[in-house]
Amino acid sequence: MDLDAFDHESHMREALDCAREAAARGDEPFGSVLVKDDEVVLTAGNRINSENDLRAHPELTLAKRAAAERDDADELVMYTSTEPCPMCAGGIDIAGLRAVVYSVSGERAAELHGTDPLLSSTAVFEAGRSDVRVIPDVLKAEGEKLHDAHR
Ligand SMILES: [Zn+2]
């Protein structure tokens, strides 16, 4: 199915919901979903605090699950509330996902939090082995509110 025909805003709303659920349980406000053929198949929220695990970013959780539980990683599109960090982008590249759609860029998130930006996911994918397409800034204003509420 053509990625441009996917309902980007609907899937991003679900990722933003996962981020709000994470914040409600005391984790950082990040959430992601995996979509195949325009249907959500897996969801995850940040669990760094609740699992005391620095790897518990939703993007890495979903990349791991895609690789471990499924044989169609190259058909899966990740929708995520903020651009994946370099750790997660590396996992996404290794898992071989088809594309990443994000709301808030890493650069914008760093600006909102007054921190230095990390290496962009695009740079990681360009250096990696998979051809992961990136679609930025879907529901950006709504995504930015998550960061505004957690500064
Ligand atoms: Zn990450």
Side-chain angles (χ1 to χ4, degrees), residues 57 59 84-85 87-88:
H57 292 192
E59 300 95 332
C85 75
M87 171 181 75
C88 294

Side-chain angles (χ1 to χ4, degrees), residues 55-67:
R55 301 167 301 176
H57 292 192
E59 300 95 332
L60 188 61
T61 299
L62 291 181
K64 281 169 59 179
R65 289 192 62 189

Side-chain angles (χ1 to χ4, degrees), residues 112-135:
L112 289 167
H113 294 280
T115 57
D116 290 331
L118 301 170
L119 185 65
S120 77
S121 60
T122 302
V124 173
F125 297 143
E126 281 172 0
R129 64 185 180 195
S130 298
D131 188 19
V132 184
R133 188 174 157 195
V134 175
I135 299 175

Side-chain angles (χ1 to χ4, degrees), residues 18-40:
C18 290
R20 283 187 278 268
E21 281 168 27
R25 73 172 165 261
D27 285 301
E28 293 173 5
F30 298 94
S32 313
V33 302
L34 282 180
V35 172
K36 179 179 179 175
D37 294 334
D38 207 27
E39 299 282 341
V40 172

Side-chain angles (χ1 to χ4, degrees), residues 2-73:
D2 184 1
L3 180 56
D4 295 319
F6 282 28
D7 188 346
H8 294 317
E9 294 198 351
S10 166
H11 303 316
M12 186 59 75
R13 274 192 203 95
E14 210 161 327
L16 296 172
D17 283 346
C18 290
R20 283 187 278 268
E21 281 168 27
R25 73 172 165 261
D27 285 301
E28 293 173 5
F30 298 94
S32 313
V33 302
L34 282 180
V35 172
K36 179 179 179 175
D37 294 334
D38 207 27
E39 299 282 341
V40 172
V41 294
L42 286 172
T43 70
N46 183 290
R47 290 188 174 271
I48 288 182
N49 295 332
S50 54
E51 293 186 2
N52 192 26
D53 183 348
L54 66 81
R55 301 167 301 176
H57 292 192
E59 300 95 332
L60 188 61
T61 299
L62 291 181
K64 281 169 59 179
R65 289 192 62 189
E69 300 169 20
R70 304 180 64 98
D71 59 7
D72 58 358

Side-chain angles (χ1 to χ4, degrees), residues 90-149:
I92 289 164
D93 181 73
I94 291 167
L97 301 188
R98 180 177 175 195
V100 171
V101 184
Y102 62 76
S103 171
V104 181
S105 72
E107 192 174 343
R108 179 66 182 137
E111 193 177 285
L112 289 167
H113 294 280
T115 57
D116 290 331
L118 301 170
L119 185 65
S120 77
S121 60
T122 302
V124 173
F125 297 143
E126 281 172 0
R129 64 185 180 195
S130 298
D131 188 19
V132 184
R133 188 174 157 195
V134 175
I135 299 175
D137 299 340
V138 172
L139 296 180
K140 184 181 176 198
E142 201 175 321
E144 285 182 352
K145 283 183 200 158
L146 289 166
H147 291 276
D148 289 339

